[in-house]
Amino acid sequence: MAELDVGRFYERLNKIHDHFLKHREGTMWNGANCISINRGASTDDENPYLKSTILHNYLFGYELPDTVLLLTKEGRCIILATKKKCEFMEPAVEKVTGSITELKLLVREKTDGNAANFEKMLQAAKVDSNGVNVKIGVIMKEFKKNDGKEGSIVAGWEKKLGEDSSKVDIVDVTAGISLVMAVKDATELDLIKKSSVLSNKVLKHKFIPRIEAIIDEGLKATHDELAQEVDETIEDPSSINLKVQKDVVQSCYFPIIQSGGEYDFKVSALSSSKNVTYDVITVSLGARYQMYCSNIARTILVDPPKEVSANYETLLGMYQNCLHAMVPGKPLKGVHAAAVAYLQKQGKDDLIPLLPKSLGFSIGLDFRDPLLVLNSKSTVTFRKGMVFNLAVSLAGIKLSAAVNSKSAVKDLSEYGLVVADTVVLHENGADAMTKYGKDLTDISYTINDDEEDEGEDSDDDDADAKLAKKLAKEEELDPSGGRRSGRLAANISSAQETEGAAERERKQIDLMARKNEERLRELARASKKKGGDEKAKKAEELEAYKRTKDLPDNVLPNQVKVDMANQCVILPICGNPVPFHISTIKNVVLPDPDSAAYLRINFYTAGMAVGKDAPENTVKLIQKYSPYATFIREMTFRSLDSHSLTTAFRQISELRKRARMKELQDQEEANLVKQDKLVRTKNERVPRLSDLTMRPVFAGRKTQGNIEAHSNGLRFISSRGEIVDVMYSNIKHAIFQPCESEIMVLIHFHLKNPIMVGKKKQQDIQFFTEVVDASQAVDAGKRSMYDPDEMDDEQRERQLRKRLNEAFKEFCRKVESVARKNGYSLEFDIPYRDLGFTGNPHKEMVFIQPTLNCLCNLTETPFFVVDLSLVDHVHFERVTFMSKAFDMVLINKDFTKQPWRVDMIPNDDKDSIQEWLTDMEISYTEGPMNLNWKQIMSTVDGDDRFYMDTEEDEVTPKEAGWEFLRMFGKDDADSGESEENDSGYSENSGSEESEEEEEEEEEDFDSEDSGSEFDADEDLEEQGMDWDEMEREAAADDRRKKRDGDDEPARPAKRRQRR
């Protein structure tokens, strides 16, 4: 028989009453004198999330239909119900505690239709009102929903309140009840945690294996069929080895599964009857455990192009930004603002209109509380113990990039992305309770990896890397392979090389430890020097005229006037000229006139997307004034004379164009450092080089001219009179590259601060002379190697090379002398050609050479110049026995910047490069796979203890600095257990950590009552192998058969790969 938990009942009733007393006069309780919680008779098709229903579950643990609970401000609680329900409440009568002073039970009286009971309740309410009209607070949405129900207690009570309307005022107290219930106690948090684990388990062990099977085997299933299977699993968890009682679990809603370009991320959406397509698949499901709700949503990407993957990474970043905004004391609307701010920071303004109006809602007994929503308007503040469904989504993203012709993604014109978790607020922030992985590596699948992705440049390299990885793994598994036996027969020179490599490795270990200490000191000094002095640039107030007298004299009362000089538009409002600065105007429209002409002017306003073209200062002003200012959205003017409005339209458009160009120019020049003026050398001969070509060029034309060295800088004067000054103080590295095997001799300046060349900022300036033409016409006839004319041409070319090299070398020496004479330090580096190697830093293979301070290619454009003083670490990717080439990643000390890359370097150059790096005291590591550097740099940038060898407790050891990259280059003794279906191109330990964290959370799903019929700890343990375990067992079985000499040919099978 059901029993009332008296302690919990009074604890929660006192919680409601205390909040009611404290905030009774506010908008949440609307000045009510008492609260009437009316739960009408239940029906079969009734909404399970009625506020009265969840309030009964909150207080009593059960639903008590046709019951009235009256709570007065004096602490008297009167309950009118049937005899059986009063007996259920009887144990609480004598145990009144807290601010509740009395609990009185009134049994239903059929003889008088409860007239006497209603009178007693009204009398109690009126006593508290002190003679004035009594205000009775009710749940307004459910009030008078029971009219016409014969014999109903609630219907009679509501009718009685209506009859005494002259003495009784009905007010809504739903907001106050919602706010009280939003803060969960320890018992509620434990039940929501178990509900979240259940949702997580259903997604992990039902939907994910099912969708993987559909994709791998090419099966057909409709969205609603798949949703039905998921729903049945929630209702009966025993199908995924969870022995949980069926009567305590149910679905919050029918699962929503979508694909094929049709996406609706509202909770009211339905799964369609169309077949699931292998493109962008979204799933949303929610489980209820003992009436407490949880929700989780994920996006599955199949063969995603880079554009889709990049947008998903943006979504994850936005999700994390929103999660960090959920801090006790901050308003709910801050979450939506954090999402918009992140997209603006990432330059993704085009995605802002695709955000939903709400990014989540409060969740608990009520699946969705409409009064606690994460939108841009909610002023309610977060509190510790609140639980929300954080649902970040982007709907209607246009797909523009070309994709794999075998992928179904190519058929989509637009797609949507969603990530949702049940989130709990702690003292210092928020934490997700649904732990299933959401990183790209967790939800991305590749099934058509045998064809090039037409829209992505790196797929050729990826295919080579995959093949190399596969062959290398086969070699490890077959110790009797010919290649390995060939290596065992290496000669003495190869043994010496091995010994040299071991010595380098020892030096690198010591070097990395020393570099970690140096970087810690550098960061400490930089942090102390910085000292938090950086301040955000404040919005600048707009001022067209200082006073009204400054307005133009010829402004008419009903005329649209454009003042080009003051950059404003004067608009007539009620016969008065009002100036508007041009930066406040979003656009101007002049429809085709008929009987009259119209001019519509749209302004930038709060509450709507301003667009990426909005002036930066205008955006800041809108953010500054949006909380309390009123904005004009648009103004329309009508005139019978179309000429005046047409002229105004043309002038406004021209003024907007000028203002936009001026802003772009200011942005381009914003980070420029003012250069000193060139001091020309007088009364002595100036070092000069003639007939040079400068790169980059002015305005797309070949720029030729002369360069001179003056007192404090160099001046280049083109044949068209264009001038470029390069100050000695602004030169970071000067490089002289003689002509040996190249077609040009050059001097190159890598600058400390960019300078303007034409209309663009440039940090690299180069002057060169070609020795031979880049292309020559070859005669069709054969030419003899002893041809005298050809021998003469070669001789002249050698002499020209030598002469030009000497001229440039002499000029460099003179420039160094002039700079030294005037107190400047300038030295020209010469690249070490014997240490050079070929590689692909941009989009073509070039010859890359190191200098004393740089690693560079200066012959081809764009230039590749890496300042070695900015390099923190070097990592070699795709280093395997079978690979013919590897990639080199040079990591910047500034972790906010992406590393430099040089791809497709021949393996023969690896030892010489590593020897050079060791001599330059630059640490390096190597590994067999390509890494996701965007994710790695983001993680490293947020780690304050990255270079330390202990965790935050200063006791637990960890790998310091870039030591963690060494794991990718070592032979793992357990390599036989590695999953062949896991791609190494973006592997990280985050997914493993999330799995461990998930398992820890699942272990906490324990029984709340030791006397119950089942033990929840045992019931939520899995009784079989999951997908990954079965994959590993199958791989181990294949290897065992191969060792036993099983010659039976293996049947090819298409297998999925995780990215």
Side-chain angles (χ1 to χ4, degrees):
M1 183 177 176
E3 293 182 357
L4 175 68
D5 188 333
V6 177
R8 186 179 66 182
F9 168 74
Y10 277 118
E11 177 186 354
R12 296 179 178 179
L13 188 63
N14 277 302
K15 185 178 177 182
I16 294 175
H17 187 252
D18 291 343
H19 192 277
F20 170 66
L21 290 180
K22 187 175 181 181
H23 304 281
R24 188 172 65 87
E25 298 299 334
T27 56
M28 290 179 290
W29 299 99
N30 289 314
N33 298 105
C34 58
I35 306 169
S36 178
I37 301 171
N38 309 328
R39 177 68 189 103
S42 60
T43 58
D44 293 337
D45 56 347
E46 198 169 58
N47 180 8
Y49 301 117
L50 286 175
K51 185 65 71 175
S52 59
T53 301
I54 65 173
L55 192 53
H56 273 221
N57 283 309
Y58 178 73
L59 292 173
F60 311 122
Y62 301 91
E63 180 185 355
L64 305 181
D66 203 20
T67 301
V68 177
L69 185 151
L70 187 71
L71 181 63
T72 70
K73 65 179 182 180
E74 300 297 330
R76 285 177 288 177
C77 180
I78 303 173
I79 297 177
L80 174 58
T82 61
K83 182 179 179 181
K84 190 173 182 180
K85 293 164 190 170
C86 288
E87 291 174 353
F88 170 80
M89 294 295 304
E90 191 65 33
V93 173
E94 301 298 327
K95 298 181 181 179
V96 176
T97 59
S99 61
I100 304 299
T101 59
E102 178 187 8
L103 176 62
K104 188 173 183 179
L105 304 178
L106 300 178
V107 180
R108 180 180 65 179
E109 286 288 343
K110 292 184 179 181
T111 56
D112 63 348
N114 290 306
N117 290 332
F118 293 158
E119 197 60 35
K120 292 177 183 178
M121 296 173 71
L122 273 178
Q123 187 61 33
K126 290 178 180 179
V127 169
D128 293 335
S129 66
N130 297 322
V132 299
N133 274 18
V134 61
K135 288 186 178 181
I136 298 181
V138 300
I139 300 170
M140 195 61 75
K141 279 190 176 181
E142 300 176 29
F143 189 67
K144 290 194 175 180
K145 291 289 181 68
N146 299 278
D147 286 351
K149 295 183 180 179
E150 191 69 22
S152 170
I153 296 175
V154 173
W157 169 244
E158 291 177 349
K159 182 179 179 181
K160 179 65 176 178
L161 295 179
E163 292 173 353
D164 291 349
S165 58
S166 60
K167 300 178 181 179
V168 175
D169 294 330
I170 303 300
V171 295
D172 189 12
V173 294
T174 310
I177 294 173
S178 293
L179 194 59
V180 173
M181 294 181 63
V183 181
K184 310 295 189 293
D185 56 36
T187 303
E188 291 180 284
L189 289 177
D190 185 58
L191 291 174
I192 295 176
K193 184 177 181 180
K194 294 173 182 177
S195 176
S196 300
V197 172
L198 179 59
S199 296
N200 198 75
K201 285 267 191 178
V202 172
L203 179 69
K204 177 182 177 182
H205 298 300
K206 177 58 183 181
F207 176 80
I208 294 298
R210 182 75 173 105
I211 199 67
E212 287 176 346
I214 291 173
I215 294 172
D216 286 348
E217 301 171 18
L219 304 177
K220 289 186 178 181
T222 63
H223 298 98
D224 51 3
E225 288 174 353
L226 194 55
Q228 182 64 38
E229 293 180 24
V230 174
D231 186 72
E232 291 172 356
T233 304
I234 296 175
E235 299 284 347
D236 183 14
S238 61
S239 59
I240 53 173
N241 298 326
L242 297 179
K243 296 180 181 178
V244 182
Q245 290 180 339
K246 292 183 181 181
D247 57 348
V248 298
V249 294
Q250 61 187 112
S251 290
C252 295
Y253 57 93
F254 193 76
I256 305 169
I257 299 171
Q258 303 172 97
S259 67
E262 299 178 2
Y263 304 96
D264 181 4
F265 298 132
K266 297 178 181 177
V267 292
S268 58
L270 297 175
S271 301
S272 70
S273 57
K274 296 181 180 179
N275 285 333
V276 175
T277 57
Y278 312 150
D279 40 43
V280 178
I281 306 169
T282 64
V283 55
S284 179
L285 62 93
R288 295 183 82 187
Y289 178 78
Q290 294 195 11
M291 309 307 294
Y292 281 84
C293 303
S294 62
N295 190 62
I296 185 171
R298 292 291 184 267
T299 301
I300 307 298
L301 303 179
V302 183
D303 288 334
K306 284 185 176 179
E307 176 189 354
V308 177
S309 298
N311 283 332
Y312 184 80
E313 293 281 8
T314 301
L315 183 79
L316 286 186
M318 182 169 62
Y319 171 92
Q320 291 297 333
N321 218 41
C322 292
L323 196 63
H324 294 156
M326 300 177 72
V327 178
K330 291 188 176 181
L332 268 62
K333 64 181 181 181
V335 175
H336 197 278
V340 174
Y342 180 83
L343 293 178
Q344 290 175 340
K345 182 180 178 182
Q346 297 297 318
K348 299 282 189 178
D349 291 348
D350 56 323
L351 297 180
I352 295 177
L354 307 182
L355 281 173
K357 293 181 180 179
S358 166
L359 295 178
F361 42 81
S362 176
I363 193 171
L365 283 169
D366 192 354
F367 175 72
R368 181 184 185 275
D369 194 327
L371 300 176
L372 296 171
V373 181
L374 303 178
N375 56 24
S376 59
K377 299 179 181 179
S378 180
T379 57
V380 179
T381 57
F382 287 110
R383 299 182 184 181
K384 179 184 176 183
M386 285 185 169
V387 180
F388 285 85
N389 172 44
L390 177 61
V392 180
S393 65
L394 294 169
I397 310 174
K398 302 296 182 183
L399 184 66
S400 58
V403 298
N404 188 335
S405 61
K406 288 187 178 181
S407 172
V409 179
K410 73 179 188 305
D411 299 325
L412 301 182
S413 59
E414 61 182 37
Y415 61 97
L417 303 170
V418 63
V419 170
D421 281 314
T422 304
V423 174
V424 59
L425 267 77
H426 300 303
E427 189 170 345
N428 299 319
D431 185 31
M433 303 176 82
T434 44
K435 300 292 186 179
Y436 188 81
K438 47 187 160 290
D439 292 337
L440 195 60
T441 53
D442 299 316
I443 55 87
S444 180
Y445 298 87
T446 300
I447 59 174
N448 292 309
D449 54 15
D450 55 336
E451 179 175 321
E452 294 180 3
D453 194 345
E454 300 171 0
E456 305 178 18
D457 298 328
S458 63
D459 280 64
D460 290 335
D461 299 344
D462 289 357
D464 292 342
K466 292 176 183 177
L467 179 61
K469 182 179 178 182
K470 179 180 178 181
L471 293 175
K473 187 170 290 186
E474 288 178 357
E475 183 183 5
E476 291 177 358
L477 297 177
D478 188 6
S480 61
R483 179 181 292 272
R484 182 161 292 188
S485 61
R487 286 201 174 95
L488 292 176
N491 54 22
I492 297 177
S493 62
S494 64
Q496 292 174 346
E497 291 176 2
T498 303
E499 185 178 350
E503 180 64 24
R504 278 201 311 272
E505 186 65 19
R506 286 193 292 271
K507 289 181 179 179
Q508 279 292 316
I509 293 174
D510 297 334
L511 175 63
M512 187 171 287
R514 189 169 73 252
K515 297 288 281 185
N516 287 340
E517 296 177 359
E518 291 176 1
R519 285 291 288 148
L520 277 174
R521 288 193 291 268
E522 289 176 13
L523 292 174
R525 286 194 298 268
S527 177
K528 184 177 180 180
K529 184 177 179 181
K530 187 175 181 181
D533 293 333
E534 294 183 359
K535 295 182 180 178
K537 187 177 179 181
K538 295 183 178 179
E540 180 181 349
E541 298 293 337
L542 301 176
E543 185 180 72
Y545 304 102
K546 291 186 178 180
R547 53 187 182 271
T548 56
K549 293 181 180 180
D550 294 337
L551 267 70
D553 297 330
N554 57 348
V555 177
L556 299 178
N558 293 318
Q559 181 188 18
V560 178
K561 178 73 175 178
V562 181
D563 189 348
M564 292 285 191
N566 291 296
Q567 292 190 330
C568 73
V569 181
I570 302 172
L571 302 176
I573 300 178
C574 299
N576 297 315
V578 180
F580 289 82
H581 197 275
I582 191 64
S583 63
T584 63
I585 297 177
K586 186 175 183 179
N587 56 47
V588 58
V589 180
L590 183 71
D592 293 333
D594 44 7
S595 60
Y598 293 88
L599 179 69
R600 185 169 73 250
I601 301 175
N602 298 315
F603 298 88
Y604 291 111
T605 62
M608 60 184 297
V610 294
K612 62 181 180 180
D613 293 332
E616 182 180 357
N617 188 58
T618 301
V619 175
K620 292 180 179 179
L621 286 172
I622 291 174
Q623 293 174 350
K624 178 180 178 180
Y625 291 106
S626 59
Y628 51 84
T630 300
F631 290 78
I632 298 175
R633 177 165 293 183
E634 70 175 50
M635 298 177 68
T636 303
F637 299 91
R638 177 181 181 272
S639 175
L640 296 175
D641 181 15
S642 63
H643 176 73
S644 60
L645 291 185
T646 303
T647 303
F649 171 79
R650 192 162 51 246
Q651 290 177 341
I652 294 173
S653 300
E654 179 62 23
L655 186 55
R656 288 186 68 248
K657 182 179 178 181
R658 292 183 187 178
R660 178 63 179 163
M661 292 178 63
K662 178 68 166 58
E663 185 187 11
L664 291 176
Q665 183 179 356
D666 292 341
Q667 290 177 358
E668 188 74 12
E669 298 174 357
N671 297 327
L672 290 177
V673 177
K674 187 176 181 180
Q675 303 293 320
D676 298 332
K677 289 187 177 181
L678 184 76
V679 179
R680 302 191 65 177
T681 302
K682 299 179 180 179
N683 304 323
E684 65 181 74
R685 190 170 182 179
V686 177
R688 178 183 289 106
L689 270 180
S690 303
D691 300 323
L692 299 179
T693 303
M694 188 188 82
R695 293 191 293 189
V697 299
F698 276 93
R701 297 173 293 178
K702 191 174 183 180
T703 306
Q704 293 181 315
N706 306 326
I707 189 171
E708 300 173 347
H710 292 276
S711 299
N712 65 336
L714 298 142
R715 168 164 287 184
F716 175 81
I717 305 175
S718 72
S719 57
R720 294 187 293 270
E722 297 155 327
I723 296 176
V724 176
D725 292 337
V726 181
M727 301 295 109
Y728 298 143
S729 59
N730 194 35
I731 297 175
K732 190 171 188 179
H733 300 297
I735 303 172
F736 161 54
Q737 180 175 299
C739 179
E740 296 182 7
S741 299
E742 293 82 9
I743 63 172
M744 61 181 68
V745 55
L746 59 86
I747 53 176
H748 187 96
F749 299 104
H750 184 68
L751 306 180
K752 297 176 183 177
N753 301 301
I755 63 173
M756 295 296 293
V757 177
K759 296 182 180 180
K760 294 184 178 180
K761 289 190 296 187
Q762 304 291 346
Q763 197 163 5
D764 292 277
I765 307 294
Q766 184 182 110
F767 307 96
F768 69 94
T769 295
E770 290 184 347
V771 178
V772 294
D773 293 335
S775 59
Q776 293 180 342
V778 180
D779 296 335
K782 295 182 179 180
R783 303 182 66 180
S784 172
M785 61 179 296
Y786 301 105
D787 185 358
D789 293 336
E790 188 170 349
M791 294 174 66
D792 290 342
D793 292 341
E794 291 176 356
Q795 184 65 24
R796 282 193 294 271
E797 184 179 316
R798 283 194 293 269
Q799 292 175 355
L800 180 60
R801 287 176 186 270
K802 184 177 180 181
R803 189 165 63 251
L804 287 175
N805 286 341
E806 288 295 332
F808 274 70
K809 184 177 180 180
E810 181 65 16
F811 176 77
C812 293
R813 187 185 62 78
K814 290 180 179 179
V815 171
E816 290 177 351
S817 178
V818 172
R820 189 164 50 250
K821 181 179 177 181
N822 290 278
Y824 296 95
S825 177
L826 180 65
E827 287 186 13
F828 281 83
D829 289 343
I830 299 177
Y832 302 121
R833 187 170 184 82
D834 53 341
L835 296 178
F837 55 92
T838 57
N840 178 12
H842 296 295
K843 291 186 178 181
E844 63 177 348
M845 296 294 291
V846 296
F847 189 72
I848 299 173
Q849 305 173 81
T851 69
L852 184 62
N853 301 303
C854 300
L855 184 67
C856 60
N857 168 260
L858 308 174
T859 307
E860 305 296 333
T861 55
F863 306 126
F864 178 73
V865 182
V866 177
D867 185 354
L868 296 180
S869 64
L870 300 179
V871 176
D872 189 28
H873 181 76
V874 176
H875 183 68
F876 297 90
E877 296 179 335
R878 296 196 302 120
V879 179
T880 62
F881 291 113
M882 298 301 297
S883 178
K884 294 182 180 180
F886 63 93
D887 306 331
M888 181 169 66
V889 179
L890 300 104
I891 302 172
N892 200 317
K893 288 182 178 179
D894 185 357
F895 294 155
T896 61
K897 298 179 180 178
Q898 288 300 303
W900 298 279
R901 290 189 65 89
V902 182
D903 298 332
M904 299 303 294
I905 304 173
N907 269 351
D908 296 338
D909 295 320
K910 182 164 70 73
D911 288 339
S912 61
I913 294 173
Q914 292 181 348
E915 191 71 36
W916 168 70
L917 289 173
T918 304
D919 293 339
M920 297 299 294
E921 292 194 340
I922 298 176
S923 60
Y924 69 83
T925 51
E926 61 183 47
M929 63 195 71
N930 293 101
L931 304 178
N932 186 345
W933 286 103
K934 182 178 180 181
Q935 182 176 351
I936 291 175
M937 298 308 295
S938 175
T939 303
V940 169
D941 187 35
D943 188 358
D944 295 332
R945 301 182 62 84
F946 177 70
Y947 290 104
M948 301 182 187
D949 58 359
T950 58
E951 299 288 355
E952 291 182 354
D953 58 3
E954 298 185 353
V955 175
T956 307
K958 73 176 185 69
E959 294 173 317
W962 301 104
E963 283 284 348
F964 73 94
L965 293 175
R966 292 187 183 278
M967 62 184 289
F968 295 101
K970 292 184 178 181
D971 292 332
D972 191 351
D974 299 325
S975 61
E977 296 180 3
S978 64
E979 301 178 48
E980 294 182 358
N981 63 327
D982 283 343
S983 173
Y985 295 102
S986 57
E987 287 187 8
N988 56 73
S989 61
S991 60
E992 297 177 3
E993 294 173 357
S994 66
E995 288 290 327
E996 293 174 3
E997 187 177 9
E998 177 189 335
E999 292 302 324
E1000 291 175 5
E1001 293 293 330
E1002 293 170 0
E1003 289 174 2
D1004 292 334
F1005 199 129
D1006 56 359
S1007 170
E1008 62 185 72
D1009 185 12
S1010 59
S1012 63
E1013 296 179 3
F1014 67 98
D1015 184 29
D1017 279 326
E1018 293 181 1
D1019 296 338
L1020 287 178
E1021 287 182 357
E1022 299 179 36
Q1023 301 299 315
M1025 294 183 295
D1026 63 11
W1027 178 271
D1028 295 337
E1029 291 171 344
M1030 289 189 288
E1031 285 281 286
R1032 286 196 291 269
E1033 182 173 322
D1037 187 63
D1038 290 344
R1039 289 193 296 272
R1040 187 165 56 252
K1041 289 181 179 179
K1042 190 172 183 180
R1043 286 196 300 269
D1044 295 341
D1046 188 359
D1047 296 328
E1048 184 179 347
R1051 198 162 112 194
K1054 182 183 290 187
R1055 302 181 65 83
R1056 69 175 178 87
Q1057 283 189 332
R1058 281 187 187 267
R1059 282 194 173 183

